[in-house]
Amino acid sequence: LVPIKLLVRINVFHVKTPRNHLPTPKPGDLFFYGNGYRVSHVAMYIGGGQIIHAMDESHGICISNAFYMTPMKIGRMID
């Protein structure tokens, strides 16, 4: 039940962020991944072309290349 609520909140944030990609991601920016109209995964940019995100139960929290998939959008709460 909790993951569903989190996904709904993430989708609301995704809708409220500008539609264009930020020119240069900064640490703390959120990377939204999905199929173009629905977010399926969110990660936080930590700098150096890397993100931190929850992979799955067996891998836990991981650091990965930010562009392991093409993000739908990159959002920033505070500039």
Side-chain angles (χ1 to χ4, degrees):
L1 188 59
V2 173
I4 293 171
K5 287 182 181 179
L6 179 61
L7 186 57
V8 169
R9 289 183 182 152
I10 291 299
N11 276 316
V12 168
F13 179 77
H14 161 71
V15 168
K16 291 182 177 183
T17 57
R19 289 212 165 268
N20 57 339
H21 287 271
L22 299 169
T24 305
K26 293 182 180 179
D29 288 349
L30 297 179
F31 278 49
F32 297 90
Y33 302 93
N35 60 8
Y37 63 94
R38 186 158 193 257
V39 175
S40 60
H41 192 67
V42 178
M44 181 179 288
Y45 188 70
I46 59 172
Q50 296 186 311
I51 54 167
I52 188 165
H53 59 121
M55 195 85 149
D56 55 38
E57 286 186 29
S58 63
H59 292 94
I61 305 299
C62 296
I63 294 176
S64 303
N65 183 310
F67 299 94
Y68 78 102
M69 290 188 338
T70 302
M72 303 172 43
K73 184 188 297 188
I74 302 170
R76 182 174 296 154
M77 294 280 293
I78 301 171
D79 194 356

